[in-house]
PDB file of all heavy atoms in Angstrom:
ATOM      1  N   SER A  20     -73.396  91.239 205.493  1.00 78.00           N
ATOM      2  CA  SER A  20     -73.931  91.165 206.848  1.00 78.00           C
ATOM      3  C   SER A  20     -74.444  89.763 207.164  1.00 78.00           C
ATOM      4  O   SER A  20     -74.598  88.912 206.278  1.00 78.00           O
ATOM      5  CB  SER A  20     -75.058  92.190 207.024  1.00 78.00           C
ATOM      6  OG  SER A  20     -76.119  91.888 206.144  1.00 78.00           O
ATOM      7  N   GLU A  21     -74.748  89.539 208.434  1.00 80.00           N
ATOM      8  CA  GLU A  21     -75.141  88.197 208.897  1.00 80.00           C
ATOM      9  C   GLU A  21     -76.463  87.742 208.303  1.00 80.00           C
ATOM     10  O   GLU A  21     -76.623  86.572 207.953  1.00 80.00           O
ATOM     11  CB  GLU A  21     -75.211  88.198 210.427  1.00 80.00           C
ATOM     12  CG  GLU A  21     -73.846  88.342 211.103  1.00 80.00           C
ATOM     13  CD  GLU A  21     -73.952  88.266 212.611  1.00 80.00           C
ATOM     14  OE1 GLU A  21     -75.091  88.109 213.121  1.00 80.00           O
ATOM     15  OE2 GLU A  21     -72.909  88.346 213.281  1.00 80.00           O
ATOM     16  N   TYR A  22     -77.439  88.642 208.209  1.00 77.00           N
ATOM     17  CA  TYR A  22     -78.729  88.200 207.690  1.00 77.00           C
ATOM     18  C   TYR A  22     -78.634  87.786 206.218  1.00 77.00           C
ATOM     19  O   TYR A  22     -79.325  86.867 205.775  1.00 77.00           O
ATOM     20  CB  TYR A  22     -79.795  89.284 207.893  1.00 77.00           C
ATOM     21  CG  TYR A  22     -79.735  90.438 206.922  1.00 77.00           C
ATOM     22  CD1 TYR A  22     -80.385  90.386 205.683  1.00 77.00           C
ATOM     23  CD2 TYR A  22     -79.039  91.597 207.236  1.00 77.00           C
ATOM     24  CE1 TYR A  22     -80.340  91.446 204.806  1.00 77.00           C
ATOM     25  CE2 TYR A  22     -78.985  92.660 206.365  1.00 77.00           C
ATOM     26  CZ  TYR A  22     -79.639  92.580 205.152  1.00 77.00           C
ATOM     27  OH  TYR A  22     -79.581  93.636 204.280  1.00 77.00           O
ATOM     28  N   SER A  23     -77.748  88.455 205.446  1.00 78.00           N
ATOM     29  CA  SER A  23     -77.563  88.063 204.053  1.00 78.00           C
ATOM     30  C   SER A  23     -76.898  86.678 203.971  1.00 78.00           C
ATOM     31  O   SER A  23     -77.296  85.839 203.142  1.00 78.00           O
ATOM     32  CB  SER A  23     -76.711  89.104 203.316  1.00 78.00           C
ATOM     33  OG  SER A  23     -77.380  90.343 203.243  1.00 78.00           O
ATOM     34  N   ARG A  24     -75.900  86.457 204.831  1.00 80.00           N
ATOM     35  CA  ARG A  24     -75.244  85.144 204.857  1.00 80.00           C
ATOM     36  C   ARG A  24     -76.226  84.050 205.281  1.00 80.00           C
ATOM     37  O   ARG A  24     -76.211  82.936 204.734  1.00 80.00           O
ATOM     38  CB  ARG A  24     -74.064  85.181 205.828  1.00 80.00           C
ATOM     39  CG  ARG A  24     -72.956  86.153 205.453  1.00 80.00           C
ATOM     40  CD  ARG A  24     -72.268  85.736 204.175  1.00 80.00           C
ATOM     41  NE  ARG A  24     -71.104  86.549 203.881  1.00 80.00           N
ATOM     42  CZ  ARG A  24     -70.409  86.478 202.772  1.00 80.00           C
ATOM     43  NH1 ARG A  24     -70.781  85.600 201.829  1.00 80.00           N
ATOM     44  NH2 ARG A  24     -69.358  87.245 202.564  1.00 80.00           N
ATOM     45  N   TYR A  25     -77.083  84.384 206.246  1.00 78.00           N
ATOM     46  CA  TYR A  25     -78.062  83.411 206.718  1.00 78.00           C
ATOM     47  C   TYR A  25     -79.065  83.070 205.613  1.00 78.00           C
ATOM     48  O   TYR A  25     -79.388  81.904 205.391  1.00 78.00           O
ATOM     49  CB  TYR A  25     -78.789  83.967 207.939  1.00 78.00           C
ATOM     50  CG  TYR A  25     -79.853  83.050 208.479  1.00 78.00           C
ATOM     51  CD1 TYR A  25     -79.515  81.931 209.232  1.00 78.00           C
ATOM     52  CD2 TYR A  25     -81.201  83.299 208.233  1.00 78.00           C
ATOM     53  CE1 TYR A  25     -80.492  81.075 209.725  1.00 78.00           C
ATOM     54  CE2 TYR A  25     -82.185  82.460 208.719  1.00 78.00           C
ATOM     55  CZ  TYR A  25     -81.827  81.345 209.463  1.00 78.00           C
ATOM     56  OH  TYR A  25     -82.791  80.502 209.944  1.00 78.00           O
ATOM     57  N   MET A  26     -79.566  84.100 204.920  1.00 80.00           N
ATOM     58  CA  MET A  26     -80.507  83.866 203.826  1.00 80.00           C
ATOM     59  C   MET A  26     -79.863  83.037 202.717  1.00 80.00           C
ATOM     60  O   MET A  26     -80.488  82.155 202.124  1.00 80.00           O
ATOM     61  CB  MET A  26     -81.006  85.201 203.265  1.00 80.00           C
ATOM     62  CG  MET A  26     -81.914  85.977 204.211  1.00 80.00           C
ATOM     63  SD  MET A  26     -82.414  87.574 203.535  1.00 80.00           S
ATOM     64  CE  MET A  26     -83.446  87.053 202.161  1.00 80.00           C
ATOM     65  N   GLU A  27     -78.582  83.326 202.441  1.00 78.00           N
ATOM     66  CA  GLU A  27     -77.864  82.565 201.410  1.00 78.00           C
ATOM     67  C   GLU A  27     -77.719  81.104 201.822  1.00 78.00           C
ATOM     68  O   GLU A  27     -77.893  80.185 201.006  1.00 78.00           O
ATOM     69  CB  GLU A  27     -76.499  83.208 201.176  1.00 78.00           C
ATOM     70  CG  GLU A  27     -75.706  82.590 200.039  1.00 78.00           C
ATOM     71  CD  GLU A  27     -74.378  83.285 199.822  1.00 78.00           C
ATOM     72  OE1 GLU A  27     -74.062  84.254 200.535  1.00 78.00           O
ATOM     73  OE2 GLU A  27     -73.628  82.829 198.919  1.00 78.00           O
ATOM     74  N   ALA A  28     -77.415  80.854 203.117  1.00 81.00           N
ATOM     75  CA  ALA A  28     -77.266  79.482 203.613  1.00 81.00           C
ATOM     76  C   ALA A  28     -78.591  78.730 203.580  1.00 81.00           C
ATOM     77  O   ALA A  28     -78.617  77.500 203.401  1.00 81.00           O
ATOM     78  CB  ALA A  28     -76.711  79.512 205.034  1.00 81.00           C
ATOM     79  N   MET A  29     -79.710  79.469 203.739  1.00 79.00           N
ATOM     80  CA  MET A  29     -81.025  78.843 203.708  1.00 79.00           C
ATOM     81  C   MET A  29     -81.528  78.605 202.292  1.00 79.00           C
ATOM     82  O   MET A  29     -82.611  78.077 202.082  1.00 79.00           O
ATOM     83  CB  MET A  29     -82.030  79.718 204.468  1.00 79.00           C
ATOM     84  CG  MET A  29     -81.754  79.815 205.971  1.00 79.00           C
ATOM     85  SD  MET A  29     -81.934  78.245 206.822  1.00 79.00           S
ATOM     86  CE  MET A  29     -83.693  77.974 206.678  1.00 79.00           C
ATOM     87  N   GLY A  30     -80.724  79.024 201.298  1.00 80.00           N
ATOM     88  CA  GLY A  30     -81.087  78.781 199.912  1.00 80.00           C
ATOM     89  C   GLY A  30     -81.967  79.842 199.287  1.00 80.00           C
ATOM     90  O   GLY A  30     -82.612  79.600 198.253  1.00 80.00           O
ATOM     91  N   ALA A  31     -82.013  81.033 199.893  1.00 79.00           N
ATOM     92  CA  ALA A  31     -82.820  82.112 199.325  1.00 79.00           C
ATOM     93  C   ALA A  31     -82.223  82.566 197.995  1.00 79.00           C
ATOM     94  O   ALA A  31     -80.998  82.589 197.829  1.00 79.00           O
ATOM     95  CB  ALA A  31     -82.875  83.293 200.298  1.00 79.00           C
ATOM     96  N   PRO A  32     -83.052  82.926 197.019  1.00 80.00           N
ATOM     97  CA  PRO A  32     -82.542  83.401 195.721  1.00 80.00           C
ATOM     98  C   PRO A  32     -81.705  84.669 195.887  1.00 80.00           C
ATOM     99  O   PRO A  32     -81.975  85.488 196.766  1.00 80.00           O
ATOM    100  CB  PRO A  32     -83.818  83.687 194.920  1.00 80.00           C
ATOM    101  CG  PRO A  32     -84.908  82.959 195.621  1.00 80.00           C
ATOM    102  CD  PRO A  32     -84.525  82.902 197.058  1.00 80.00           C
ATOM    103  N   ALA A  33     -80.706  84.803 195.031  1.00 77.00           N
ATOM    104  CA  ALA A  33     -79.830  85.982 195.100  1.00 77.00           C
ATOM    105  C   ALA A  33     -80.618  87.266 194.877  1.00 77.00           C
ATOM    106  O   ALA A  33     -80.325  88.309 195.476  1.00 77.00           O
ATOM    107  CB  ALA A  33     -78.717  85.852 194.057  1.00 77.00           C
ATOM    108  N   LYS A  34     -81.651  87.201 194.027  1.00 80.00           N
ATOM    109  CA  LYS A  34     -82.468  88.387 193.755  1.00 80.00           C
ATOM    110  C   LYS A  34     -83.178  88.861 195.015  1.00 80.00           C
ATOM    111  O   LYS A  34     -83.279  90.066 195.276  1.00 80.00           O
ATOM    112  CB  LYS A  34     -83.484  88.066 192.659  1.00 80.00           C
ATOM    113  CG  LYS A  34     -84.310  89.266 192.210  1.00 80.00           C
ATOM    114  CD  LYS A  34     -85.237  88.881 191.061  1.00 80.00           C
ATOM    115  CE  LYS A  34     -86.049  90.096 190.604  1.00 80.00           C
ATOM    116  NZ  LYS A  34     -86.960  89.742 189.496  1.00 80.00           N
ATOM    117  N   LEU A  35     -83.689  87.910 195.823  1.00 82.00           N
ATOM    118  CA  LEU A  35     -84.377  88.264 197.057  1.00 82.00           C
ATOM    119  C   LEU A  35     -83.398  88.868 198.068  1.00 82.00           C
ATOM    120  O   LEU A  35     -83.725  89.850 198.760  1.00 82.00           O
ATOM    121  CB  LEU A  35     -85.046  87.028 197.649  1.00 82.00           C
ATOM    122  CG  LEU A  35     -85.825  87.233 198.957  1.00 82.00           C
ATOM    123  CD1 LEU A  35     -86.982  88.200 198.740  1.00 82.00           C
ATOM    124  CD2 LEU A  35     -86.326  85.900 199.505  1.00 82.00           C
ATOM    125  N   ILE A  36     -82.197  88.300 198.152  1.00 78.00           N
ATOM    126  CA  ILE A  36     -81.189  88.830 199.080  1.00 78.00           C
ATOM    127  C   ILE A  36     -80.823  90.267 198.697  1.00 78.00           C
ATOM    128  O   ILE A  36     -80.716  91.151 199.552  1.00 78.00           O
ATOM    129  CB  ILE A  36     -79.936  87.933 199.078  1.00 78.00           C
ATOM    130  CG1 ILE A  36     -80.292  86.523 199.583  1.00 78.00           C
ATOM    131  CG2 ILE A  36     -78.836  88.536 199.944  1.00 78.00           C
ATOM    132  CD1 ILE A  36     -79.153  85.529 199.464  1.00 78.00           C
ATOM    133  N   ARG A  37     -80.635  90.492 197.397  1.00 80.00           N
ATOM    134  CA  ARG A  37     -80.291  91.845 196.934  1.00 80.00           C
ATOM    135  C   ARG A  37     -81.435  92.826 197.201  1.00 80.00           C
ATOM    136  O   ARG A  37     -81.207  94.000 197.498  1.00 80.00           O
ATOM    137  CB  ARG A  37     -79.947  91.811 195.444  1.00 80.00           C
ATOM    138  CG  ARG A  37     -78.631  91.129 195.129  1.00 80.00           C
ATOM    139  CD  ARG A  37     -78.153  91.491 193.732  1.00 80.00           C
ATOM    140  NE  ARG A  37     -79.108  91.067 192.712  1.00 80.00           N
ATOM    141  CZ  ARG A  37     -79.056  89.894 192.063  1.00 80.00           C
ATOM    142  NH1 ARG A  37     -78.087  89.031 192.364  1.00 80.00           N
ATOM    143  NH2 ARG A  37     -79.938  89.584 191.148  1.00 80.00           N
ATOM    144  N   LYS A  38     -82.681  92.338 197.115  1.00 80.00           N
ATOM    145  CA  LYS A  38     -83.834  93.199 197.366  1.00 80.00           C
ATOM    146  C   LYS A  38     -83.835  93.679 198.818  1.00 80.00           C
ATOM    147  O   LYS A  38     -84.033  94.866 199.096  1.00 80.00           O
ATOM    148  CB  LYS A  38     -85.123  92.435 197.063  1.00 80.00           C
ATOM    149  CG  LYS A  38     -86.386  93.246 197.310  1.00 80.00           C
ATOM    150  CD  LYS A  38     -87.627  92.418 197.007  1.00 80.00           C
ATOM    151  CE  LYS A  38     -88.910  93.207 197.313  1.00 80.00           C
ATOM    152  NZ  LYS A  38     -90.125  92.406 197.050  1.00 80.00           N
ATOM    153  N   TYR A  39     -83.606  92.755 199.767  1.00 79.00           N
ATOM    154  CA  TYR A  39     -83.549  93.134 201.181  1.00 79.00           C
ATOM    155  C   TYR A  39     -82.340  94.032 201.448  1.00 79.00           C
ATOM    156  O   TYR A  39     -82.413  94.978 202.249  1.00 79.00           O
ATOM    157  CB  TYR A  39     -83.492  91.885 202.057  1.00 79.00           C
ATOM    158  CG  TYR A  39     -84.853  91.293 202.339  1.00 79.00           C
ATOM    159  CD1 TYR A  39     -85.308  90.194 201.624  1.00 79.00           C
ATOM    160  CD2 TYR A  39     -85.684  91.842 203.313  1.00 79.00           C
ATOM    161  CE1 TYR A  39     -86.567  89.648 201.873  1.00 79.00           C
ATOM    162  CE2 TYR A  39     -86.936  91.304 203.566  1.00 79.00           C
ATOM    163  CZ  TYR A  39     -87.379  90.210 202.857  1.00 79.00           C
ATOM    164  OH  TYR A  39     -88.622  89.687 203.103  1.00 79.00           O
ATOM    165  N   ALA A  40     -81.228  93.733 200.803  1.00 80.00           N
ATOM    166  CA  ALA A  40     -80.026  94.553 200.990  1.00 80.00           C
ATOM    167  C   ALA A  40     -80.263  95.991 200.517  1.00 80.00           C
ATOM    168  O   ALA A  40     -79.852  96.954 201.174  1.00 80.00           O
ATOM    169  CB  ALA A  40     -78.849  93.933 200.246  1.00 80.00           C
ATOM    170  N   PHE A  41     -80.956  96.127 199.385  1.00 80.00           N
ATOM    171  CA  PHE A  41     -81.230  97.471 198.849  1.00 80.00           C
ATOM    172  C   PHE A  41     -82.167  98.239 199.778  1.00 80.00           C
ATOM    173  O   PHE A  41     -81.960  99.429 200.025  1.00 80.00           O
ATOM    174  CB  PHE A  41     -81.843  97.367 197.453  1.00 80.00           C
ATOM    175  CG  PHE A  41     -82.123  98.703 196.817  1.00 80.00           C
ATOM    176  CD1 PHE A  41     -81.120  99.399 196.174  1.00 80.00           C
ATOM    177  CD2 PHE A  41     -83.391  99.269 196.876  1.00 80.00           C
ATOM    178  CE1 PHE A  41     -81.367 100.636 195.589  1.00 80.00           C
ATOM    179  CE2 PHE A  41     -83.655 100.496 196.306  1.00 80.00           C
ATOM    180  CZ  PHE A  41     -82.641 101.178 195.663  1.00 80.00           C
ATOM    181  N   ARG A  42     -83.188  97.555 200.307  1.00 78.00           N
ATOM    182  CA  ARG A  42     -84.139  98.239 201.195  1.00 78.00           C
ATOM    183  C   ARG A  42     -83.456  98.735 202.461  1.00 78.00           C
ATOM    184  O   ARG A  42     -83.770  99.822 202.967  1.00 78.00           O
ATOM    185  CB  ARG A  42     -85.283  97.289 201.552  1.00 78.00           C
ATOM    186  CG  ARG A  42     -86.232  97.018 200.406  1.00 78.00           C
ATOM    187  CD  ARG A  42     -87.332  96.055 200.811  1.00 78.00           C
ATOM    188  NE  ARG A  42     -88.141  96.575 201.894  1.00 78.00           N
ATOM    189  CZ  ARG A  42     -89.144  95.907 202.444  1.00 78.00           C
ATOM    190  NH1 ARG A  42     -89.438  94.679 202.020  1.00 78.00           N
ATOM    191  NH2 ARG A  42     -89.839  96.445 203.432  1.00 78.00           N
ATOM    192  N   ASN A  43     -82.523  97.966 202.994  1.00 77.00           N
ATOM    193  CA  ASN A  43     -81.793  98.407 204.186  1.00 77.00           C
ATOM    194  C   ASN A  43     -80.753  99.475 203.845  1.00 77.00           C
ATOM    195  O   ASN A  43     -80.502 100.388 204.643  1.00 77.00           O
ATOM    196  CB  ASN A  43     -81.103  97.220 204.860  1.00 77.00           C
ATOM    197  CG  ASN A  43     -82.097  96.297 205.552  1.00 77.00           C
ATOM    198  OD1 ASN A  43     -83.115  96.740 206.052  1.00 77.00           O
ATOM    199  ND2 ASN A  43     -81.809  95.006 205.562  1.00 77.00           N
ATOM    200  N   ALA A  44     -80.134  99.346 202.675  1.00 78.00           N
ATOM    201  CA  ALA A  44     -79.096 100.304 202.294  1.00 78.00           C
ATOM    202  C   ALA A  44     -79.661 101.672 201.950  1.00 78.00           C
ATOM    203  O   ALA A  44     -78.953 102.684 202.080  1.00 78.00           O
ATOM    204  CB  ALA A  44     -78.309  99.756 201.093  1.00 78.00           C
ATOM    205  N   VAL A  45     -80.917 101.725 201.519  1.00 78.00           N
ATOM    206  CA  VAL A  45     -81.482 103.000 201.095  1.00 78.00           C
ATOM    207  C   VAL A  45     -81.843 103.885 202.289  1.00 78.00           C
ATOM    208  O   VAL A  45     -81.979 105.104 202.139  1.00 78.00           O
ATOM    209  CB  VAL A  45     -82.730 102.766 200.203  1.00 78.00           C
ATOM    210  CG1 VAL A  45     -83.981 102.498 201.028  1.00 78.00           C
ATOM    211  CG2 VAL A  45     -82.960 103.953 199.267  1.00 78.00           C
ATOM    212  N   LEU A  46     -81.980 103.299 203.496  1.00 75.00           N
ATOM    213  CA  LEU A  46     -82.351 104.100 204.665  1.00 75.00           C
ATOM    214  C   LEU A  46     -81.300 105.162 205.005  1.00 75.00           C
ATOM    215  O   LEU A  46     -81.649 106.328 205.215  1.00 75.00           O
ATOM    216  CB  LEU A  46     -82.604 103.182 205.871  1.00 75.00           C
ATOM    217  CG  LEU A  46     -83.797 102.229 205.726  1.00 75.00           C
ATOM    218  CD1 LEU A  46     -83.890 101.312 206.937  1.00 75.00           C
ATOM    219  CD2 LEU A  46     -85.096 103.009 205.553  1.00 75.00           C
ATOM    220  N   PRO A  47     -80.000 104.814 205.083  1.00 76.00           N
ATOM    221  CA  PRO A  47     -78.997 105.879 205.306  1.00 76.00           C
ATOM    222  C   PRO A  47     -78.971 106.902 204.168  1.00 76.00           C
ATOM    223  O   PRO A  47     -78.633 108.066 204.397  1.00 76.00           O
ATOM    224  CB  PRO A  47     -77.669 105.104 205.373  1.00 76.00           C
ATOM    225  CG  PRO A  47     -78.049 103.717 205.734  1.00 76.00           C
ATOM    226  CD  PRO A  47     -79.377 103.482 205.085  1.00 76.00           C
ATOM    227  N   GLN A  48     -79.345 106.480 202.962  1.00 78.00           N
ATOM    228  CA  GLN A  48     -79.374 107.418 201.840  1.00 78.00           C
ATOM    229  C   GLN A  48     -80.481 108.452 202.008  1.00 78.00           C
ATOM    230  O   GLN A  48     -80.342 109.597 201.575  1.00 78.00           O
ATOM    231  CB  GLN A  48     -79.562 106.658 200.525  1.00 78.00           C
ATOM    232  CG  GLN A  48     -78.392 105.760 200.145  1.00 78.00           C
ATOM    233  CD  GLN A  48     -77.159 106.546 199.760  1.00 78.00           C
ATOM    234  OE1 GLN A  48     -76.364 106.933 200.618  1.00 78.00           O
ATOM    235  NE2 GLN A  48     -76.982 106.782 198.476  1.00 78.00           N
ATOM    236  N   ILE A  49     -81.594 108.039 202.634  1.00 76.00           N
ATOM    237  CA  ILE A  49     -82.666 108.996 202.915  1.00 76.00           C
ATOM    238  C   ILE A  49     -82.186 110.024 203.937  1.00 76.00           C
ATOM    239  O   ILE A  49     -82.430 111.225 203.801  1.00 76.00           O
ATOM    240  CB  ILE A  49     -83.925 108.263 203.413  1.00 76.00           C
ATOM    241  CG1 ILE A  49     -84.487 107.371 202.307  1.00 76.00           C
ATOM    242  CG2 ILE A  49     -84.983 109.253 203.889  1.00 76.00           C
ATOM    243  CD1 ILE A  49     -85.659 106.518 202.737  1.00 76.00           C
ATOM    244  N   THR A  50     -81.483 109.542 204.962  1.00 73.00           N
ATOM    245  CA  THR A  50     -80.896 110.459 205.941  1.00 73.00           C
ATOM    246  C   THR A  50     -79.893 111.387 205.254  1.00 73.00           C
ATOM    247  O   THR A  50     -79.855 112.594 205.515  1.00 73.00           O
ATOM    248  CB  THR A  50     -80.194 109.673 207.057  1.00 73.00           C
ATOM    249  OG1 THR A  50     -81.121 108.756 207.643  1.00 73.00           O
ATOM    250  CG2 THR A  50     -79.666 110.603 208.132  1.00 73.00           C
ATOM    251  N   GLY A  51     -79.081 110.823 204.363  1.00 74.00           N
ATOM    252  CA  GLY A  51     -78.113 111.625 203.624  1.00 74.00           C
ATOM    253  C   GLY A  51     -78.776 112.679 202.757  1.00 74.00           C
ATOM    254  O   GLY A  51     -78.243 113.776 202.577  1.00 74.00           O
ATOM    255  N   LEU A  52     -79.961 112.351 202.226  1.00 75.00           N
ATOM    256  CA  LEU A  52     -80.687 113.312 201.406  1.00 75.00           C
ATOM    257  C   LEU A  52     -81.046 114.549 202.224  1.00 75.00           C
ATOM    258  O   LEU A  52     -80.916 115.677 201.754  1.00 75.00           O
ATOM    259  CB  LEU A  52     -81.950 112.662 200.846  1.00 75.00           C
ATOM    260  CG  LEU A  52     -82.857 113.549 199.984  1.00 75.00           C
ATOM    261  CD1 LEU A  52     -82.112 114.065 198.769  1.00 75.00           C
ATOM    262  CD2 LEU A  52     -84.102 112.782 199.565  1.00 75.00           C
ATOM    263  N   ALA A  53     -81.492 114.339 203.466  1.00 69.00           N
ATOM    264  CA  ALA A  53     -81.813 115.469 204.349  1.00 69.00           C
ATOM    265  C   ALA A  53     -80.573 116.321 204.614  1.00 69.00           C
ATOM    266  O   ALA A  53     -80.629 117.557 204.613  1.00 69.00           O
ATOM    267  CB  ALA A  53     -82.402 114.957 205.656  1.00 69.00           C
ATOM    268  N   LEU A  54     -79.438 115.663 204.856  1.00 67.00           N
ATOM    269  CA  LEU A  54     -78.206 116.391 205.151  1.00 67.00           C
ATOM    270  C   LEU A  54     -77.662 117.127 203.932  1.00 67.00           C
ATOM    271  O   LEU A  54     -77.018 118.168 204.050  1.00 67.00           O
ATOM    272  CB  LEU A  54     -77.143 115.425 205.691  1.00 67.00           C
ATOM    273  CG  LEU A  54     -77.469 114.726 207.006  1.00 67.00           C
ATOM    274  CD1 LEU A  54     -76.395 113.699 207.344  1.00 67.00           C
ATOM    275  CD2 LEU A  54     -77.610 115.732 208.138  1.00 67.00           C
ATOM    276  N   GLN A  55     -77.914 116.584 202.734  1.00 70.00           N
ATOM    277  CA  GLN A  55     -77.366 117.161 201.511  1.00 70.00           C
ATOM    278  C   GLN A  55     -78.200 118.313 200.965  1.00 70.00           C
ATOM    279  O   GLN A  55     -77.757 119.018 200.061  1.00 70.00           O
ATOM    280  CB  GLN A  55     -77.262 116.080 200.435  1.00 70.00           C
ATOM    281  CG  GLN A  55     -76.101 115.125 200.610  1.00 70.00           C
ATOM    282  CD  GLN A  55     -74.765 115.810 200.396  1.00 70.00           C
ATOM    283  OE1 GLN A  55     -74.612 116.619 199.491  1.00 70.00           O
ATOM    284  NE2 GLN A  55     -73.798 115.495 201.228  1.00 70.00           N
ATOM    285  N   LEU A  56     -79.405 118.517 201.498  1.00 69.00           N
ATOM    286  CA  LEU A  56     -80.262 119.566 200.952  1.00 69.00           C
ATOM    287  C   LEU A  56     -79.602 120.941 201.049  1.00 69.00           C
ATOM    288  O   LEU A  56     -79.630 121.725 200.108  1.00 69.00           O
ATOM    289  CB  LEU A  56     -81.604 119.576 201.678  1.00 69.00           C
ATOM    290  CG  LEU A  56     -82.581 118.476 201.260  1.00 69.00           C
ATOM    291  CD1 LEU A  56     -83.786 118.460 202.176  1.00 69.00           C
ATOM    292  CD2 LEU A  56     -83.015 118.661 199.813  1.00 69.00           C
ATOM    293  N   GLY A  57     -78.997 121.222 202.211  1.00 64.00           N
ATOM    294  CA  GLY A  57     -78.323 122.500 202.354  1.00 64.00           C
ATOM    295  C   GLY A  57     -77.144 122.641 201.422  1.00 64.00           C
ATOM    296  O   GLY A  57     -76.880 123.724 200.882  1.00 64.00           O
ATOM    297  N   VAL A  58     -76.429 121.542 201.182  1.00 62.00           N
ATOM    298  CA  VAL A  58     -75.262 121.571 200.296  1.00 62.00           C
ATOM    299  C   VAL A  58     -75.684 121.857 198.854  1.00 62.00           C
ATOM    300  O   VAL A  58     -75.078 122.680 198.170  1.00 62.00           O
ATOM    301  CB  VAL A  58     -74.491 120.238 200.370  1.00 62.00           C
ATOM    302  CG1 VAL A  58     -73.327 120.231 199.379  1.00 62.00           C
ATOM    303  CG2 VAL A  58     -73.986 119.998 201.789  1.00 62.00           C
ATOM    304  N   ILE A  59     -76.741 121.180 198.400  1.00 69.00           N
ATOM    305  CA  ILE A  59     -77.144 121.368 197.009  1.00 69.00           C
ATOM    306  C   ILE A  59     -77.772 122.745 196.803  1.00 69.00           C
ATOM    307  O   ILE A  59     -77.668 123.336 195.722  1.00 69.00           O
ATOM    308  CB  ILE A  59     -78.099 120.250 196.539  1.00 69.00           C
ATOM    309  CG1 ILE A  59     -78.199 120.256 195.002  1.00 69.00           C
ATOM    310  CG2 ILE A  59     -79.475 120.395 197.158  1.00 69.00           C
ATOM    311  CD1 ILE A  59     -78.936 119.074 194.435  1.00 69.00           C
ATOM    312  N   VAL A  60     -78.416 123.295 197.846  1.00 70.00           N
ATOM    313  CA  VAL A  60     -78.928 124.662 197.734  1.00 70.00           C
ATOM    314  C   VAL A  60     -77.773 125.637 197.567  1.00 70.00           C
ATOM    315  O   VAL A  60     -77.825 126.559 196.742  1.00 70.00           O
ATOM    316  CB  VAL A  60     -79.781 125.019 198.973  1.00 70.00           C
ATOM    317  CG1 VAL A  60     -80.049 126.516 199.028  1.00 70.00           C
ATOM    318  CG2 VAL A  60     -81.102 124.260 198.944  1.00 70.00           C
ATOM    319  N   ALA A  61     -76.695 125.436 198.345  1.00 66.00           N
ATOM    320  CA  ALA A  61     -75.507 126.283 198.186  1.00 66.00           C
ATOM    321  C   ALA A  61     -74.909 126.116 196.789  1.00 66.00           C
ATOM    322  O   ALA A  61     -74.465 127.085 196.167  1.00 66.00           O
ATOM    323  CB  ALA A  61     -74.469 125.931 199.250  1.00 66.00           C
ATOM    324  N   GLY A  62     -74.908 124.866 196.292  1.00 67.00           N
ATOM    325  CA  GLY A  62     -74.423 124.624 194.939  1.00 67.00           C
ATOM    326  C   GLY A  62     -75.285 125.300 193.900  1.00 67.00           C
ATOM    327  O   GLY A  62     -74.783 125.812 192.885  1.00 67.00           O
ATOM    328  N   ALA A  63     -76.595 125.337 194.148  1.00 75.00           N
ATOM    329  CA  ALA A  63     -77.502 126.001 193.211  1.00 75.00           C
ATOM    330  C   ALA A  63     -77.240 127.501 193.161  1.00 75.00           C
ATOM    331  O   ALA A  63     -77.321 128.120 192.094  1.00 75.00           O
ATOM    332  CB  ALA A  63     -78.950 125.730 193.605  1.00 75.00           C
ATOM    333  N   LEU A  64     -76.902 128.097 194.315  1.00 77.00           N
ATOM    334  CA  LEU A  64     -76.597 129.528 194.339  1.00 77.00           C
ATOM    335  C   LEU A  64     -75.398 129.830 193.444  1.00 77.00           C
ATOM    336  O   LEU A  64     -75.414 130.780 192.658  1.00 77.00           O
ATOM    337  CB  LEU A  64     -76.315 129.978 195.779  1.00 77.00           C
ATOM    338  CG  LEU A  64     -77.439 129.790 196.796  1.00 77.00           C
ATOM    339  CD1 LEU A  64     -77.023 130.367 198.141  1.00 77.00           C
ATOM    340  CD2 LEU A  64     -78.717 130.428 196.327  1.00 77.00           C
ATOM    341  N   ALA A  65     -74.348 129.008 193.575  1.00 78.00           N
ATOM    342  CA  ALA A  65     -73.154 129.212 192.750  1.00 78.00           C
ATOM    343  C   ALA A  65     -73.455 128.968 191.271  1.00 78.00           C
ATOM    344  O   ALA A  65     -72.978 129.694 190.390  1.00 78.00           O
ATOM    345  CB  ALA A  65     -72.032 128.281 193.219  1.00 78.00           C
TER     346      ALA A  65
END
């Protein structure tokens, strides 16, 4: 994404860029967790 490219161009450490990337990437995973609850409950029944 653009903010990662911008941080890289500004000389930000790769570890810091990955940290911000992980924090943004985990948000859809939290939404996915809510959606998957019904699926895993059905899996638990089986």
Side-chain angles (χ1 to χ4, degrees):
S20 63
E21 291 183 0
Y22 77 87
S23 295
R24 297 294 187 187
Y25 178 77
M26 291 177 67
E27 185 178 359
M29 294 295 292
K34 185 177 181 180
L35 180 62
I36 297 173
R37 289 197 299 267
K38 179 181 177 181
Y39 276 100
F41 181 82
R42 288 179 61 182
N43 288 327
V45 82
L46 295 176
Q48 294 291 86
I49 295 175
T50 305
L52 178 60
L54 297 174
Q55 283 292 319
L56 283 172
V58 176
I59 195 171
V60 167
L64 300 184

